[in-house]
Amino acid sequence: MIQIPRGTQDILPGESYKWQIIEDQLREIATNYNYHELRTPIFEATELFERGVGGSTDIVNKEMYTFEDKGGRSMTLRPEGTAPIARSYIENKMQHDVNQPIKVFYKEPMFRYERRQKGRYRQFVQFGVEAIGAENPLIDVEVLSMLMHIYQSFGLKNLKLYINSIGDHDSRKAYNDALVEHFKPRIDEFCSDCQNRIDTNPMRILDCKKDRDHELIQNAPVIYNFLNDESKAYFETVKEKLTEIGIDYEVDYNLVRGLDYYTHTAFELMSNAEGFGAITTLCGGGRYNGLLELLDGPKETGIGFGMSIERLLLALEAEGIKLDKPKGIDLYVCTLDDQSFNKAGTLLHELRTKGISADMDYKQRKLKAQMKDADRKRAQYVIVLGEQEFESGRVELKNMENGETQNVQIDELVKYLED
C-alpha cells in the first residue's frame, strides 16, 4: 500500500474545520490591520534562499527540498515566506506604489526536510505578515501587537513574548567580532555546526540547541553593550511603546533568530502551557534592513513574522481550548421509495442553488438509518418524501433541535426555508 510521505499529514474532514476557523480568523485580523494577501509560487530559484536566507543557516544547509528542473535550473520548494515576498516586492517594483509601507500577509505551505517532531512537519502551513518600506519603531510595535492579538484572540493565556535588538549592521559587526574573540579559543568544545558558524555567523552559536548550557554561551558578551546610540534609541522606543499599549515582554539578549537578514528588533513568542512540549516556540520574526539589497533590490527595510498553524493547534490543545464545530446542514431529505428518491435530487439542486445546504441518503437505507444520518450531519430540519407527500403536495418540516413540525407545501419549501 502506498503511504503518505514521512513528515506530512492528511487533514481529514473531521479536523479540517479547525483549520478553516483559524485561517478565517487570521485573515480577518490581518485585514483589520490593513494587511492584504500576497501569494507566491510554491517553488522558487534556489539562489533566492541561498542569498536571502543565508548560506550559513540550517535551512539552506540541511533542510531545503531542492531539485533540478528540465531546463537544468536549480529550484527549491519554499522553506519560508519572507524571501519570496521580498523577491515579489522587487520584481513587481512595489517601492513605487504610493501606499507605503507595503503591508502583506500570506498563508502558504512550506517545506523543510527535518526530523519529525511533535507539531513539526516536513510540509507545514505558515501564516506570516511583512511590512516593507518603513523603518520606524512604531511599525515594529504594530507587527508585535498583531502577533499578540492573533494568539490572544483564540483564548490562549500561557504566552511569553521575548524580544531583543540585533542593532544595525555596524552594531552587528562589532558584536560578531566580540563573539569570535570570545568563542574562538575553545570552539573545539562545541558541536560541528557551531565550529562552522564561528567563521560564517557567530551569533548563531548563541542559538545552538546542543550546546545551550555551555559556560561560554552562558557568559557570552551581551549584544546590548555593542549597540550604537541609534540602535539603542530604536530599541528603547520599541520597548516603551509595547509597555504603553499593555503588551508584556521580556528582553532575551541571546535571542538572535536563525536567519542572516535580521537587524534591530528580533522576537519570539513561546507557550508556557503544561504539556505543550519541549520545543516551546510558537512564532518568531524580526526586522530586516538589507534583505532587499542582498537580492539586488532597492534600499528598503521591512519587518515581519511567521507562525505555524500546526503549532497554534498544539497550543490550543495544551490549554484545553476547543474550536466550535461549524453548524450542520440546513435540511436533510429522507426518501421512502424510488420515485421520491429520484425527485429528491431535483429538490436538492433547487435548494443548493438558493444557498440552502442540503443532503440526502444516496444508499437508500431504511428511514430509521436515514434519520440517524441526518442527526450525524447535524441537520437543522428534516423532511420525509414518499407517495403520500407527493399526492398531497405537502411535507412535514421537522425542527431537529426542538422536535416541532410545520406542514409546508412542497413547491413553497425553498421559499419557506429561505425566509
Side-chain angles (χ1 to χ4, degrees):
M1 183 180 69
I2 299 174
Q3 295 185 331
I4 191 170
R6 181 177 294 182
T8 63
Q9 62 174 334
D10 292 320
I11 302 171
L12 302 178
E15 290 292 313
S16 60
Y17 76 91
K18 299 177 183 177
W19 290 74
Q20 292 160 7
I21 291 171
I22 288 172
E23 290 164 2
D24 288 346
Q25 195 155 314
L26 291 172
R27 187 177 294 107
E28 180 180 350
I29 291 173
T31 302
N32 286 344
Y33 282 75
N34 198 32
Y35 285 67
H36 305 280
E37 187 173 15
L38 194 162
R39 302 186 184 191
T40 61
I42 206 166
F43 62 93
E44 300 263 8
T46 302
E47 184 184 8
L48 172 64
F49 302 109
E50 290 176 338
R51 292 169 60 185
V53 177
S56 66
T57 61
D58 286 347
I59 293 176
V60 172
N61 286 331
K62 301 177 181 180
E63 299 172 0
M64 294 203 312
Y65 280 92
T66 298
F67 62 95
E68 189 175 283
D69 69 8
K70 292 183 178 181
R73 295 169 289 254
S74 180
M75 296 290 170
T76 294
L77 295 180
R78 180 182 50 215
E80 61 93 42
T82 302
I85 296 292
R87 190 269 310 149
S88 179
Y89 180 95
I90 296 166
E91 189 168 349
N92 293 289
K93 297 180 173 56
M94 294 186 193
Q95 72 270 25
H96 301 308
D97 193 311
V98 294
N99 296 308
Q100 297 292 332
I102 300 296
K103 303 200 295 188
V104 300
F105 72 88
Y106 59 87
K107 181 197 66 64
E108 307 278 15
M110 307 289 169
F111 303 85
R112 294 188 191 180
Y113 188 88
E114 58 182 343
R115 185 171 60 86
R116 172 76 171 84
Q117 302 173 66
K118 186 178 181 181
R120 289 181 179 267
Y121 296 88
R122 291 177 177 177
Q123 176 179 326
F124 59 97
V125 178
Q126 188 175 85
F127 172 85
V129 306
E130 309 291 347
I132 303 176
E135 182 176 6
N136 191 297
L138 290 187
I139 194 74
D140 298 28
V141 173
E142 176 181 280
V143 168
L144 286 163
S145 171
M146 190 199 311
L147 169 67
M148 298 305 296
H149 184 172
I150 284 170
Y151 284 92
Q152 290 170 346
S153 73
F154 290 101
L156 291 168
K157 307 288 186 187
N158 297 301
L159 302 170
K160 187 70 175 180
L161 175 65
Y162 293 91
I163 66 172
N164 191 22
S165 174
I166 303 173
D168 58 16
H169 289 293
D170 291 339
S171 301
R172 181 169 176 154
K173 183 180 185 308
Y175 185 54
N176 275 327
D177 291 342
L179 289 177
V180 170
E181 185 178 346
H182 178 73
F183 286 115
K184 193 80 168 180
R186 296 172 58 185
I187 194 62
D188 58 332
E189 299 174 18
F190 288 80
C191 68
S192 58
D193 287 337
C194 287
Q195 292 180 33
N196 291 328
R197 290 166 181 157
I198 193 69
D199 295 317
T200 56
N201 191 351
M203 288 172 60
R204 294 283 330 282
I205 298 175
L206 301 175
D207 202 29
C208 180
K209 302 299 185 287
K210 294 179 183 177
D211 297 317
R212 64 173 67 186
D213 296 325
H214 195 288
E215 61 175 301
L216 288 185
I217 290 182
Q218 299 299 313
N219 60 25
V222 175
I223 190 168
Y224 188 80
N225 297 329
F226 293 83
L227 299 182
N228 55 31
D229 291 343
E230 183 182 350
S231 296
K232 284 182 179 179
Y234 194 101
F235 191 43
E236 291 303 317
T237 302
V238 170
K239 293 191 292 181
E240 288 169 9
K241 292 299 180 181
L242 287 175
T243 301
E244 190 176 299
I245 61 176
I247 293 180
D248 294 327
Y249 64 88
E250 185 174 317
V251 177
D252 178 0
Y253 291 118
N254 280 353
L255 196 168
V256 296
R257 303 291 297 147
L259 308 183
D260 287 357
Y261 49 60
Y262 284 115
T263 54
H264 284 302
T265 311
F267 53 88
E268 287 184 351
L269 184 65
M270 307 291 190
S271 169
N272 293 331
E274 186 176 348
F276 180 65
I279 301 174
T280 60
T281 306
L282 282 171
C283 173
R287 172 162 288 283
Y288 42 91
N289 296 1
L291 171 60
L292 276 73
E293 290 175 83
L294 281 174
L295 301 175
D296 301 324
K299 190 176 182 179
E300 293 287 357
T301 68
I303 184 170
F305 66 78
M307 56 176 281
S308 159
I309 293 182
E310 289 86 349
R311 294 191 66 74
L312 171 56
L313 284 164
L314 270 183
L316 293 173
E317 181 183 340
E319 294 198 27
I321 297 172
K322 297 187 182 299
L323 299 174
D324 293 334
K325 287 188 176 182
K327 72 179 184 69
I329 59 174
D330 296 321
L331 179 70
Y332 190 96
V333 179
C334 297
T335 59
L336 299 180
D337 50 45
D338 288 342
Q339 180 190 22
S340 59
F341 177 77
N342 290 328
K343 290 187 176 182
T346 303
L347 177 60
L348 286 178
H349 172 74
E350 187 179 358
L351 288 163
R352 290 163 175 168
T353 55
K354 295 294 185 180
I356 298 167
S357 57
D359 205 354
M360 61 184 284
D361 175 33
Y362 290 95
K363 301 186 77 169
Q364 292 185 270
R365 290 169 289 193
K366 301 289 186 183
L367 179 59
K368 184 177 180 180
Q370 292 183 60
M371 292 299 290
K372 285 184 177 180
D373 191 39
D375 194 51
R376 283 193 299 269
K377 291 181 168 65
R378 297 163 63 218
Q380 186 174 357
Y381 294 97
V382 170
I383 61 170
V384 178
L385 288 180
E387 184 179 349
Q388 179 180 330
E389 284 72 26
F390 284 111
E391 285 180 359
S392 66
R394 305 185 72 87
V395 292
E396 291 290 327
L397 183 67
K398 181 179 180 180
N399 186 315
M400 293 293 281
E401 185 176 346
N402 57 28
E404 294 179 357
T405 60
Q406 182 74 32
N407 192 268
V408 181
Q409 285 187 243
I410 294 177
D411 57 5
E412 294 183 0
L413 178 64
V414 175
K415 186 178 186 309
Y416 184 89
L417 288 170
E418 276 187 301
D419 293 341

